[in-house]
Amino acid sequence: MSADQTSRINTPSMTIDTESTRTHQGALALFLVLFVAIAFKSTDALSLPQFWAEDGPVFFAGQFGHALPQVFASYAGYLHAIPRIVAWLATLASPTRAPVIYNLSAIVMSAIALTYVVGRLRRVLPLPLMLATFLLLPTSGEIFGNLTNVQWFLQLVLPVACLSAAPRLDGWRLPARDLVILLIALSGPFSLIATIVAAGMWFASWTDRRFSIGAFEGHLAAWSTRADVRIIVLIAAGGLIQLVTFLTHPVPLSGDTHTPFRLVKIALFDITPIHIFGFDFLTNTCYALIYLAIGAALIFGRGMTGEHRLTILALLLFAFAGVLSGMAKTPNLDSYYDFNLADRYFHALRIVFWWAVFVAIASATTYCRKDICTIVTLCIVMITLSNLSHMRRGPMQDFQWKAHARELKQPGSHSIPINPPGWSVDVTTP
């Protein structure tokens, strides 16, 4: 066999291996960038680690004194499998180390989740835009660097896994992915929302095929035949378990509830603008026109493929449904008008909104996508400059956790103050 023939035979395999290596190297580099950025936005989460909110009374206290992880212990009506597992693993070290283990785990998982989302949507959205939506949009800061709020980063994995094309996996990577997906599905109410969105997509896909509608250039009809059923079943299983948990451990509500129509109206016109832009500066009519323009472009535009428009539209519905589900269980919505109190509920919607703006403009116009990305990113930068005080989490108050944690070795009841002020860890050492 000649050298040329050997070269021709080996080249395809070598090319695949090279591309795979570059993909992994790119993912690692992106993870490191996101890890550093999230750690920076978390302020003193690693330099002065402290518990935040449910980190202490729910996860630490719930695991304290137990040899096995309390995965099926519910809180606020649903399970928190991943935080419970982290709390269990932290018991292998001294209690003085628990806050740093919690915070470091949260930052790592947040960076991994965003890296995964970028990898799955890289054919749909430009990387600079995704990074801008992850890192430059203003937030209340409480979601960064603590185990309590890591679910707001993990939630994005579920709809993206459902809706975008899944890479082929073999060997140990397939069951490992399945386990991670299931654990995320059991770590918040978002698996139930993702299941409802996937079911709606499935029905719409069947309807499109049944009546030959041809929506999204045929991609809607083809979605149910190309969807990764394995992932959807795992998420649906998690969603069903969360639903059973909610029904068997209902959260009592006080006060009058709002009708669905009123909830949607308040969310769209009164509250969402505050959390997307940092302030409310337009009339309801202007907001309505913006929403209608984005929706029309996603449905009827032709500048981007129907598959990409459909993916972003479904992600937008998922994010908005998450906002409505939070509002539905909160009769008094005053906290939602305060950027610093309920902003976590809008984390996904704030991100996906700007993705939808990009896709809508690209679908409705013939402008270069690089130019559109630049314009949308500049809009985000303008919002950033108008909300500089909301770019990082505020510093934590030092409650001297390490000194208090050493007292846990002594028998008796212990009450340790944590952040935010007024919260505490209450445990009993036998």
Side-chain angles (χ1 to χ4, degrees):
M1 185 180 291
S2 68
D4 290 342
Q5 289 174 320
T6 303
S7 174
R8 286 195 295 270
I9 292 174
N10 291 337
T11 295
S13 176
M14 293 172 60
T15 300
I16 293 173
D17 290 343
T18 301
E19 291 178 353
S20 177
T21 300
R22 289 177 179 174
T23 299
H24 292 152
Q25 290 175 343
L28 177 60
L30 178 60
F31 164 77
L32 292 175
V33 169
L34 289 169
F35 175 83
V36 171
I38 294 172
F40 173 77
K41 293 174 76 68
S42 303
T43 312
D44 54 4
L46 299 180
S47 60
L48 183 64
Q50 303 281 316
F51 279 149
W52 173 263
E54 284 86 354
D55 286 356
V58 177
F59 303 132
F60 180 84
Q63 185 61 49
F64 190 80
H66 295 279
L68 298 177
Q70 303 300 293
V71 174
F72 293 103
S74 67
Y75 174 74
Y78 53 91
L79 303 178
H80 303 74
I82 290 179
R84 298 283 188 183
I85 291 174
V86 172
W88 172 63
L89 293 174
T91 61
L92 300 177
S94 168
T96 60
R97 301 290 184 184
V100 71
I101 294 173
Y102 284 29
N103 295 353
L104 179 60
S105 299
I107 295 172
V108 169
M109 288 188 289
S110 299
I112 291 175
L114 297 184
T115 301
Y116 175 84
V117 170
V118 169
R120 294 292 291 269
L121 295 180
R122 64 182 183 275
R123 295 189 304 113
V124 183
L125 301 164
L127 176 60
L129 175 65
M130 286 191 278
L131 290 178
T133 56
F134 293 153
L135 303 176
L136 296 183
L137 290 173
T139 71
S140 64
E142 68 169 324
I143 62 173
F144 293 108
N146 60 81
L147 200 56
T148 291
N149 290 308
V150 73
Q151 63 177 342
W152 303 105
F153 289 92
L154 297 178
Q155 64 167 319
L156 291 169
V157 171
L158 298 178
V160 168
C162 276
L163 300 170
S164 59
R168 292 183 179 179
L169 300 176
D170 52 19
W172 63 269
R173 294 186 298 170
L174 183 59
R177 182 208 64 181
D178 292 348
L179 177 61
V180 171
I181 291 292
L182 182 59
L183 288 176
I184 294 175
L186 294 175
S187 299
F190 310 106
S191 55
L192 182 57
I193 300 172
T195 300
I196 294 172
V197 171
M201 289 278 290
W202 208 289
F203 177 76
S205 180
W206 176 85
T207 302
D208 193 301
R209 288 199 314 275
R210 176 69 176 79
F211 297 100
S212 302
I213 299 172
F216 296 92
E217 297 87 72
H219 288 283
L220 178 58
W223 181 84
S224 60
T225 61
R226 294 190 305 217
D228 192 324
V229 177
R230 189 186 185 104
I231 288 179
I232 294 176
V233 168
L234 287 168
I235 295 174
L240 178 61
I241 293 173
Q242 295 287 25
L243 177 61
V244 171
T245 302
F246 177 79
L247 294 177
T248 55
H249 300 80
V251 178
L253 300 178
S254 59
D256 297 331
T257 58
H258 300 277
T259 63
F261 177 79
R262 178 166 174 76
L263 274 181
V264 171
K265 180 178 181 297
I266 293 174
L268 285 176
F269 301 112
D270 297 343
I271 299 177
T272 295
I274 297 173
H275 296 274
I276 288 181
F277 305 110
F279 46 84
D280 185 358
F281 65 103
L282 295 175
T283 65
N284 288 357
T285 301
C286 290
Y287 289 130
L289 292 175
I290 291 173
Y291 299 148
L292 289 173
I294 292 174
L298 292 178
I299 296 172
F300 302 109
R302 292 294 185 270
M304 291 190 70
T305 68
E307 179 185 6
H308 295 172
R309 301 196 322 271
L310 181 62
T311 297
I312 297 301
L313 179 60
L315 288 173
L316 196 60
L317 293 174
F318 167 85
F320 188 63
V323 169
L324 291 180
S325 67
M327 294 175 61
K329 64 180 184 180
T330 311
N332 187 350
L333 298 176
D334 290 348
S335 62
Y336 283 78
Y337 290 87
D338 190 328
F339 191 88
N340 293 309
L341 295 181
D343 185 63
R344 60 189 180 277
Y345 293 99
F346 295 83
H347 179 62
L349 183 58
R350 175 171 43 239
I351 291 172
V352 178
F353 173 83
W354 290 106
W355 294 354
V357 169
F358 168 82
V359 174
I361 296 175
S363 300
T365 68
T366 57
Y367 293 125
C368 171
R369 292 187 187 177
K370 288 185 178 180
D371 293 340
I372 298 173
C373 176
T374 300
I375 292 171
V376 175
T377 302
L378 286 176
C379 290
I380 293 174
V381 170
M382 291 177 60
I383 293 173
T384 301
L385 296 176
S386 301
N387 297 273
L388 290 176
S389 61
H390 293 295
M391 298 310 299
R392 298 179 69 192
R393 193 187 76 182
M396 293 283 188
Q397 183 174 340
D398 186 2
F399 284 108
Q400 301 295 322
W401 168 261
K402 288 186 177 181
H404 289 293
R406 294 187 182 98
E407 300 173 0
L408 296 178
K409 298 179 181 179
Q410 304 300 321
S413 299
H414 307 275
S415 182
I416 305 175
I418 63 170
N419 286 281
W423 286 66
S424 65
V425 177
D426 299 302
V427 296
T428 299
T429 304

